[in-house]
Amino acid sequence: MADTMFLKGRAHRFGDDVNTDEIIASRYLNLTDAKELGAHCMQTLDKDFVKKISSGDIIVAGKNFGCGSSREHAPLAIKGAGISCVVAESFARIFYRNALNIGLPIFEIRNAAEIKAGDELEIDLASGSIDDKTRHMSFKANAFPDFMRSIINAGGLINWLNEDTTYGVRKTT
């Protein structure tokens, strides 16, 4: 898969302490398909969320995004809805790991509150720069190292492990 260096999309705002039950309600945990989960993404907080988004859009939130239970369904639902990444002031640790494991890029910036709903964003995975094209503002997150970008580009850790990589991991037969 080609290295996706830039993500572009419209911002969808959420506040602090968005928990995994709000990202995907527990009644949908019997689903395993990302697209099916995505159809119910964030509906506890905004019942029309999936009707408002376009493929590639970006969730922007406050502190402690993804807190609560450690279900992998939460980042999978976000990705299945077509969201390209999440930008937040901070992430719950288990959500952070689960997101990267399924190939969902996430970025921490201190001043995420300055990004408003509807702003057009452009994010450079290689440098960690986040440009708000609407407000003509720039933000800086930590850049992903090459191997993390390769995991994201492969669609997650399992896919990455199952393909030939420049890091010596070979597909098992």
Side-chain angles (χ1 to χ4, degrees), residues 102-116:
I102 62 108
L104 177 68
I106 55 178
F107 299 91
E108 287 185 346
I109 59 171
R110 281 190 208 136
N111 43 356
E114 294 180 33
I115 299 172
K116 304 301 179 199

PDB file of all heavy atoms in Angstrom, residues 102-116:
ATOM      1  N   ILE A 102      -5.434  -0.874  14.855  1.00  0.00           N
ATOM      2  CA  ILE A 102      -6.352  -1.075  13.722  1.00  0.00           C
ATOM      3  C   ILE A 102      -6.077  -0.099  12.578  1.00  0.00           C
ATOM      4  O   ILE A 102      -6.796  -0.070  11.592  1.00  0.00           O
ATOM      5  CB  ILE A 102      -7.843  -1.045  14.154  1.00  0.00           C
ATOM      6  CG1 ILE A 102      -8.257   0.296  14.763  1.00  0.00           C
ATOM      7  CG2 ILE A 102      -8.146  -2.162  15.116  1.00  0.00           C
ATOM      8  CD1 ILE A 102      -9.122   1.077  13.860  1.00  0.00           C
ATOM      9  N   GLY A 103      -5.025   0.699  12.710  1.00  0.00           N
ATOM     10  CA  GLY A 103      -4.608   1.586  11.621  1.00  0.00           C
ATOM     11  C   GLY A 103      -5.324   2.917  11.573  1.00  0.00           C
ATOM     12  O   GLY A 103      -5.410   3.533  10.512  1.00  0.00           O
ATOM     13  N   LEU A 104      -5.833   3.393  12.708  1.00  0.00           N
ATOM     14  CA  LEU A 104      -6.485   4.702  12.775  1.00  0.00           C
ATOM     15  C   LEU A 104      -5.493   5.720  13.336  1.00  0.00           C
ATOM     16  O   LEU A 104      -5.113   5.634  14.506  1.00  0.00           O
ATOM     17  CB  LEU A 104      -7.725   4.654  13.673  1.00  0.00           C
ATOM     18  CG  LEU A 104      -8.452   5.978  13.876  1.00  0.00           C
ATOM     19  CD1 LEU A 104      -9.117   6.455  12.584  1.00  0.00           C
ATOM     20  CD2 LEU A 104      -9.481   5.847  14.996  1.00  0.00           C
ATOM     21  N   PRO A 105      -5.055   6.685  12.525  1.00  0.00           N
ATOM     22  CA  PRO A 105      -4.117   7.687  13.044  1.00  0.00           C
ATOM     23  C   PRO A 105      -4.782   8.607  14.064  1.00  0.00           C
ATOM     24  O   PRO A 105      -5.936   9.009  13.888  1.00  0.00           O
ATOM     25  CB  PRO A 105      -3.709   8.493  11.801  1.00  0.00           C
ATOM     26  CG  PRO A 105      -4.334   7.847  10.638  1.00  0.00           C
ATOM     27  CD  PRO A 105      -5.351   6.878  11.123  1.00  0.00           C
ATOM     28  N   ILE A 106      -4.053   8.911  15.120  1.00  0.00           N
ATOM     29  CA  ILE A 106      -4.544   9.828  16.151  1.00  0.00           C
ATOM     30  C   ILE A 106      -3.425  10.802  16.502  1.00  0.00           C
ATOM     31  O   ILE A 106      -2.251  10.450  16.495  1.00  0.00           O
ATOM     32  CB  ILE A 106      -5.064   9.081  17.393  1.00  0.00           C
ATOM     33  CG1 ILE A 106      -4.002   8.157  17.956  1.00  0.00           C
ATOM     34  CG2 ILE A 106      -6.321   8.302  17.060  1.00  0.00           C
ATOM     35  CD1 ILE A 106      -4.441   7.423  19.199  1.00  0.00           C
ATOM     36  N   PHE A 107      -3.811  12.039  16.800  1.00  0.00           N
ATOM     37  CA  PHE A 107      -2.849  13.105  17.053  1.00  0.00           C
ATOM     38  C   PHE A 107      -3.234  13.873  18.300  1.00  0.00           C
ATOM     39  O   PHE A 107      -4.385  14.273  18.443  1.00  0.00           O
ATOM     40  CB  PHE A 107      -2.800  14.081  15.870  1.00  0.00           C
ATOM     41  CG  PHE A 107      -2.367  13.445  14.592  1.00  0.00           C
ATOM     42  CD1 PHE A 107      -3.301  12.904  13.721  1.00  0.00           C
ATOM     43  CD2 PHE A 107      -1.024  13.372  14.262  1.00  0.00           C
ATOM     44  CE1 PHE A 107      -2.910  12.297  12.540  1.00  0.00           C
ATOM     45  CE2 PHE A 107      -0.623  12.768  13.081  1.00  0.00           C
ATOM     46  CZ  PHE A 107      -1.564  12.232  12.219  1.00  0.00           C
ATOM     47  N   GLU A 108      -2.263  14.095  19.177  1.00  0.00           N
ATOM     48  CA  GLU A 108      -2.483  14.902  20.373  1.00  0.00           C
ATOM     49  C   GLU A 108      -1.914  16.292  20.162  1.00  0.00           C
ATOM     50  O   GLU A 108      -0.755  16.444  19.773  1.00  0.00           O
ATOM     51  CB  GLU A 108      -1.795  14.266  21.587  1.00  0.00           C
ATOM     52  CG  GLU A 108      -2.487  13.038  22.093  1.00  0.00           C
ATOM     53  CD  GLU A 108      -1.865  12.491  23.371  1.00  0.00           C
ATOM     54  OE1 GLU A 108      -0.736  12.886  23.743  1.00  0.00           O
ATOM     55  OE2 GLU A 108      -2.517  11.645  23.982  1.00  0.00           O
ATOM     56  N   ILE A 109      -2.769  17.297  20.417  1.00  0.00           N
ATOM     57  CA  ILE A 109      -2.309  18.693  20.424  1.00  0.00           C
ATOM     58  C   ILE A 109      -2.940  19.391  21.623  1.00  0.00           C
ATOM     59  O   ILE A 109      -4.092  19.118  21.969  1.00  0.00           O
ATOM     60  CB  ILE A 109      -2.635  19.446  19.106  1.00  0.00           C
ATOM     61  CG1 ILE A 109      -4.130  19.462  18.812  1.00  0.00           C
ATOM     62  CG2 ILE A 109      -1.857  18.850  17.940  1.00  0.00           C
ATOM     63  CD1 ILE A 109      -4.519  20.361  17.656  1.00  0.00           C
ATOM     64  N   ARG A 110      -2.204  20.263  22.247  1.00  0.00           N
ATOM     65  CA  ARG A 110      -2.688  20.950  23.452  1.00  0.00           C
ATOM     66  C   ARG A 110      -3.888  21.848  23.198  1.00  0.00           C
ATOM     67  O   ARG A 110      -4.764  21.961  24.030  1.00  0.00           O
ATOM     68  CB  ARG A 110      -1.572  21.806  24.044  1.00  0.00           C
ATOM     69  CG  ARG A 110      -0.609  21.017  24.817  1.00  0.00           C
ATOM     70  CD  ARG A 110       0.320  21.930  25.583  1.00  0.00           C
ATOM     71  NE  ARG A 110       1.569  21.201  25.741  1.00  0.00           N
ATOM     72  CZ  ARG A 110       2.745  21.712  25.568  1.00  0.00           C
ATOM     73  NH1 ARG A 110       2.888  22.972  25.258  1.00  0.00           N
ATOM     74  NH2 ARG A 110       3.813  20.978  25.721  1.00  0.00           N
ATOM     75  N   ASN A 111      -3.921  22.511  22.085  1.00  0.00           N
ATOM     76  CA  ASN A 111      -4.937  23.538  21.832  1.00  0.00           C
ATOM     77  C   ASN A 111      -5.975  23.090  20.800  1.00  0.00           C
ATOM     78  O   ASN A 111      -6.391  23.880  19.961  1.00  0.00           O
ATOM     79  CB  ASN A 111      -4.268  24.841  21.424  1.00  0.00           C
ATOM     80  CG  ASN A 111      -3.131  24.632  20.427  1.00  0.00           C
ATOM     81  OD1 ASN A 111      -2.776  23.506  20.078  1.00  0.00           O
ATOM     82  ND2 ASN A 111      -2.566  25.719  19.966  1.00  0.00           N
ATOM     83  N   ALA A 112      -6.430  21.865  20.915  1.00  0.00           N
ATOM     84  CA  ALA A 112      -7.428  21.341  19.977  1.00  0.00           C
ATOM     85  C   ALA A 112      -8.725  22.157  20.005  1.00  0.00           C
ATOM     86  O   ALA A 112      -9.443  22.218  19.010  1.00  0.00           O
ATOM     87  CB  ALA A 112      -7.727  19.865  20.276  1.00  0.00           C
ATOM     88  N   ALA A 113      -9.020  22.808  21.121  1.00  0.00           N
ATOM     89  CA  ALA A 113     -10.246  23.603  21.245  1.00  0.00           C
ATOM     90  C   ALA A 113     -10.294  24.761  20.255  1.00  0.00           C
ATOM     91  O   ALA A 113     -11.373  25.283  19.954  1.00  0.00           O
ATOM     92  CB  ALA A 113     -10.392  24.128  22.666  1.00  0.00           C
ATOM     93  N   GLU A 114      -9.153  25.151  19.718  1.00  0.00           N
ATOM     94  CA  GLU A 114      -9.122  26.246  18.739  1.00  0.00           C
ATOM     95  C   GLU A 114      -9.653  25.815  17.376  1.00  0.00           C
ATOM     96  O   GLU A 114      -9.987  26.661  16.547  1.00  0.00           O
ATOM     97  CB  GLU A 114      -7.699  26.791  18.613  1.00  0.00           C
ATOM     98  CG  GLU A 114      -7.207  27.462  19.886  1.00  0.00           C
ATOM     99  CD  GLU A 114      -5.802  28.001  19.757  1.00  0.00           C
ATOM    100  OE1 GLU A 114      -5.412  28.429  18.659  1.00  0.00           O
ATOM    101  OE2 GLU A 114      -5.085  28.000  20.779  1.00  0.00           O
ATOM    102  N   ILE A 115      -9.729  24.508  17.143  1.00  0.00           N
ATOM    103  CA  ILE A 115     -10.288  24.002  15.885  1.00  0.00           C
ATOM    104  C   ILE A 115     -11.797  23.909  16.062  1.00  0.00           C
ATOM    105  O   ILE A 115     -12.282  23.318  17.025  1.00  0.00           O
ATOM    106  CB  ILE A 115      -9.701  22.621  15.529  1.00  0.00           C
ATOM    107  CG1 ILE A 115      -8.183  22.733  15.357  1.00  0.00           C
ATOM    108  CG2 ILE A 115     -10.370  22.065  14.276  1.00  0.00           C
ATOM    109  CD1 ILE A 115      -7.479  21.390  15.203  1.00  0.00           C
ATOM    110  N   LYS A 116     -12.534  24.493  15.168  1.00  0.00           N
ATOM    111  CA  LYS A 116     -13.993  24.555  15.275  1.00  0.00           C
ATOM    112  C   LYS A 116     -14.659  23.559  14.330  1.00  0.00           C
ATOM    113  O   LYS A 116     -14.084  23.157  13.309  1.00  0.00           O
ATOM    114  CB  LYS A 116     -14.494  25.975  14.957  1.00  0.00           C
ATOM    115  CG  LYS A 116     -13.866  27.058  15.811  1.00  0.00           C
ATOM    116  CD  LYS A 116     -14.112  26.825  17.292  1.00  0.00           C
ATOM    117  CE  LYS A 116     -13.460  27.906  18.144  1.00  0.00           C
ATOM    118  NZ  LYS A 116     -13.293  27.525  19.522  1.00  0.00           N
TER     119      LYS A 116
END
